[in-house]
């Protein structure tokens, strides 16, 4: 691509990011803020090339089961926070979760992601029992947990029961910013500690942040990128912040598709073999947001396998999209969307493989 001289600088930074997998803080800021026409496409092309080098055209489908929307925490941004009296609460029992997995297995899924609020009903023993039942019935499947902060011993127990992966977004790598998004009883240091525990135990770990969350600055985003580079997670989940009407951030602006996809490309260039989901939040703020995410190098999509009646209740933010009533419909829809941008939906375990790039 021919770049006019006066526009060269940020494009050169993209080249440097690709070559060195790193930039200085100031350079990251320039890349995040750059508004030259054509810059996003330039960055995305590089990110796609890296993604295709390691993962070809494959997009991994993971079966998501949102098994409880009861939560003991009160995060200021989240629709299922403890003090929201209007959230219609639900829990799936072990048998219901296993039924979702069985249906997902029939559809070809080989990864199940169990996500929920921090719900004390699911004791360590119960979680371990659910994990081991899934692994017993489907030994060829990976189980991912996403159930928030617990003790190291609890994480170990789940791992021993067969859990392979754990998703715990760090939300923001800046302590002060963390404290603006969470009540005092939640601690930035503890969250980061949990992420380190998960890694030590041997999980494939996913972290991530919201894009455009209240009070977020470009410096915070640079800190996030710095943290991702140092922590080297196997997966990074990012999505735009979207206000929920029953939270104190109801009137805040949502994050943008543009900034989210730009960050996806940047993260791909930082961590070439990372698994990057095109998230539901991205599909919520733009009807083709997830497709745009794929074109910016995302390579994972998580269709919802939860029963249709509870899906409408797992509302972290307003207007959350839900695919058709049947899991099969969700898979068909997703497969079509993935094909529409030239990629191929696959359902195998799709473990993160360290490709010797680090
Ligand atoms: N907008 C976007 N993402 C949200 N999450 C929670 N609330 C919101 C919101 N209002 C994200 C958080 C959390 C994940 C499960 O969902 O990053 O870790």
């Amino acid at each position: 691509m021919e770049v006019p001289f006066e526009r060269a600088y940020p494009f050169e930074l993209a080249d440097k990011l690709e070559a060195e997998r790193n930039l200085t803080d100031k350079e990251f800021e320039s890349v995040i803020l750059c508004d030259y026409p054509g810059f996003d496409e330039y960055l995305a092309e590089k990110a796609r090339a890296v993604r295709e080098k390691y993962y070809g055209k494959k997009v991994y489908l993971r079966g998501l089961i949102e098994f409880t929307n009861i939560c003991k925490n009160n995060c200021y941004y989240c629709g299922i926070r403890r003090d929201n009296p209007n959230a219609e609460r639900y829990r799936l029992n072990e048998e219901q979760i296993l039924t979702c997995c069985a249906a997902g297995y029939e559809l070809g899924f080989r990864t199940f992601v169990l996500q929920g609020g921090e719900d004390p009903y699911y004791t360590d023993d119960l979680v371990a029992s659910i994990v081991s039942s899934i692994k017993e019935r489907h030994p060829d499947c990976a189980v991912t947990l996403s159930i928030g902060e617990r003790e190291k011993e609890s994480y170990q127990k789940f791992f021993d029961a067969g859990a392979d992966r754990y998703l715990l977004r760090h939300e923001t790598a800046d302590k002060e910013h963390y404290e603006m998004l969470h009540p005092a009883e939640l601690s930035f240091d503890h969250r980061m500690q949990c992420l380190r525990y998960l890694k030590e135990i041997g999980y494939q770990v996913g972290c991530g942040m919201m894009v455009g969350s209240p009070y977020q600055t470009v410096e915070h985003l640079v800190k996030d990128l710095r943290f991702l580079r140092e922590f080297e997670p196997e997966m990074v989940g990012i999505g735009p912040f979207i206000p929920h009407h029953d939270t104190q951030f109801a009137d805040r602006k949502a994050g943008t598709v543009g900034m989210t996809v730009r960050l996806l490309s940047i993260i791909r260039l930082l961590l070439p073999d990372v698994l990057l989901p095109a998230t539901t939040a991205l599909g919520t703020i733009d009807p083709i947001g997830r497709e745009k995410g794929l074109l910016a190098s995302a390579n994972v999509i998580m269709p919802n396998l939860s029963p249709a009646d509870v899906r409408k209740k797992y509302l972290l933010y307003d207007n959350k999209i839900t695919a058709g009533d049947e899991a099969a419909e969700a898979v068909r829809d997703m497969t079509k969307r993935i094909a529409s941008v030239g990629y191929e939906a696959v359902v195998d375990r799709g473990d993160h493989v360290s490709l010797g790039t680090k």
Side-chain angles (χ1 to χ4, degrees):
M1 180 187 196
E2 197 67 34
V3 179
F5 177 73
E6 71 275 13
R7 286 188 182 170
Y9 186 55
F11 290 83
E12 278 169 15
L13 289 181
D15 297 344
K16 180 177 170 190
L17 176 58
E18 178 190 34
E20 299 181 15
R21 295 181 194 146
N22 202 4
L23 292 175
T24 67
D25 287 2
K26 280 284 158 227
E27 289 171 337
F28 271 131
E29 277 185 28
S30 305
V31 170
I32 292 169
L33 296 174
C34 175
D35 58 2
Y36 289 163
F39 182 68
D40 273 304
E41 192 39 44
Y42 189 77
L43 204 59
E45 255 174 49
K46 289 185 181 299
R48 277 201 302 274
V50 170
R51 166 253 202 271
E52 287 176 26
K53 183 168 158 204
Y54 295 122
Y55 291 101
K57 297 276 186 190
K58 289 180 177 179
V59 175
Y60 296 104
L61 296 186
R62 320 287 204 199
L64 178 64
I65 302 164
E66 294 163 335
F67 67 93
T68 173
N69 71 349
I70 296 172
C71 192
K72 67 177 161 69
N73 293 333
N74 214 17
C75 308
Y76 299 151
Y77 46 82
C78 185
I80 64 166
R81 73 198 165 83
R82 176 188 69 220
D83 289 348
N84 178 8
N86 300 321
E88 259 188 80
R89 306 290 175 174
Y90 73 91
R91 272 181 190 130
L92 301 184
N93 61 30
E94 178 161 355
E95 199 186 308
Q96 289 171 306
I97 295 172
L98 289 168
T99 303
C100 290
C101 293
Y105 192 88
E106 286 307 307
L107 291 169
F109 285 94
R110 295 297 177 265
T111 293
F112 301 112
V113 182
L114 267 50
Q115 185 163 84
E118 290 195 16
D119 180 353
Y121 168 85
Y122 298 89
T123 58
D124 291 351
D125 284 339
L126 180 53
V127 174
S129 150
I130 294 169
V131 170
S132 56
S133 304
I134 297 174
K135 296 294 274 199
E136 239 165 67
R137 292 178 195 203
H138 311 292
D140 52 338
C141 291
V143 172
T144 305
L145 291 176
S146 180
I147 55 173
E149 297 177 35
R150 297 241 178 168
E151 301 298 320
K152 185 173 189 190
E153 295 67 39
S154 316
Y155 288 150
Q156 184 68 56
K157 204 166 186 174
F158 309 154
F159 188 77
D160 295 341
D164 303 272
R165 309 176 185 150
Y166 204 103
L167 308 180
L168 181 72
R169 288 192 177 176
H170 66 283
E171 311 297 356
T172 169
D174 183 89
K175 190 179 166 97
E176 260 174 54
H177 185 218
Y178 192 91
E179 289 166 0
M180 293 173 171
L181 300 177
H182 301 95
E185 74 237 28
L186 289 172
S187 127
F188 172 77
D189 294 330
H190 188 255
R191 196 157 189 96
M192 289 300 193
Q193 186 60 55
C194 284
L195 282 166
R196 286 190 292 270
Y197 286 151
L198 290 164
K199 223 182 183 183
E200 276 167 34
I201 291 169
Y203 283 98
Q204 297 175 46
V205 180
C207 58
M209 66 279 185
M210 289 180 286
V211 176
S213 59
Y215 312 109
Q216 187 178 60
T217 64
V218 64
E219 287 84 3
H220 294 149
L221 287 171
V222 172
K223 270 198 171 177
D224 286 321
L225 296 174
R226 202 49 76 217
F227 167 70
L228 294 176
R229 195 171 177 280
E230 275 157 26
F231 186 68
E232 293 196 333
E234 279 73 24
M235 180 183 254
V236 178
I238 68 166
F241 160 74
I242 304 172
H244 185 287
H245 61 279
D246 282 323
T247 64
Q248 69 185 71
F249 294 147
D251 297 324
R252 296 284 176 154
K253 273 207 295 267
T256 64
V257 187
M259 187 53 77
T260 308
V261 299
R262 180 171 297 187
L263 286 162
L264 284 170
S265 297
I266 296 173
I267 295 166
R268 169 67 59 204
L269 294 173
L270 274 184
L271 302 168
D273 51 18
V274 78
L275 292 159
L276 277 182
T279 55
T280 307
L282 192 53
T284 296
I285 54 165
D286 181 334
I288 54 163
R290 282 168 301 180
E291 289 85 334
K292 291 177 181 173
L294 296 176
L295 289 171
S297 85
N299 62 340
V300 174
I301 288 195
M302 302 188 192
N304 205 316
L305 300 181
S306 317
D309 57 319
V310 306
R311 247 185 271 160
K312 297 181 183 75
K313 299 180 184 165
Y314 199 83
L315 292 178
L316 307 178
Y317 44 78
D318 287 341
N319 306 313
K320 183 172 167 228
I321 46 166
T322 48
D325 270 5
E326 295 291 320
E329 244 177 274
V331 174
R332 271 196 300 275
D333 173 58
M334 232 43 101
T335 305
K336 249 195 269 163
R337 286 171 183 270
I338 292 166
S340 78
V341 285
Y343 289 95
E344 182 205 350
V346 296
V347 281
D348 60 79
R349 276 178 59 128
D351 280 287
H352 172 273
V353 271
S354 188
L355 295 152
T357 56
K358 287 167 189 161

